[in-house]
Amino acid sequence: MTIHLVTTLKRKATQILHEVNKTKTPILITEYGKPSAYIIDAQSFQETQQKIAILEGLARGEQAIKGGRVTSHTDAMKMFKRWLD
């Protein structure tokens, strides 16, 4: 991962964006010596958002199982059949 100062981002934004899009490697922007933001390419961001959505769905499913909110396969098929008829 590359690290740039916020002042470098201000001066060389186009070059930094080209770098992140070419290498697909996130760039850390620091401000006053501390991490401030990451710059990632749009495709990687979208893929990350999709992965997060899947993981959130899995977590909801695990919570449902732990809470006893489950249905047998047979009962689920009966419900689907009613919905589809």
Side-chain angles (χ1 to χ4, degrees):
M1 174 179 2
T2 306
I3 300 173
H4 288 293
L5 301 171
V6 71
T7 53
T8 305
L9 175 63
K10 291 177 185 177
R11 288 192 318 263
K12 299 181 178 183
T14 303
Q15 180 182 344
I16 290 172
L17 290 174
H18 177 73
E19 178 185 339
V20 78
N21 283 308
K22 182 179 177 184
T23 64
K24 305 293 185 204
T25 302
I27 295 175
L28 173 61
I29 302 299
T30 60
E31 192 170 19
Y32 304 112
K34 296 182 180 178
S36 180
Y38 286 93
I39 299 175
I40 63 171
D41 66 284
Q43 181 181 352
S44 294
F45 177 80
Q46 290 170 348
E47 289 171 358
T48 300
Q49 293 302 303
Q50 289 173 344
K51 290 173 185 176
I52 289 170
I54 291 168
L55 290 172
E56 288 173 342
L58 290 171
R60 283 192 305 272
E62 287 179 345
Q63 289 301 316
I65 291 169
K66 287 179 184 176
R69 298 183 314 271
V70 296
T71 302
S72 70
H73 180 269
T74 304
D75 290 343
M77 294 305 290
K78 288 177 186 175
M79 285 189 293
F80 287 135
K81 185 172 170 114
R82 280 196 309 261
W83 291 342
L84 296 174
D85 286 340

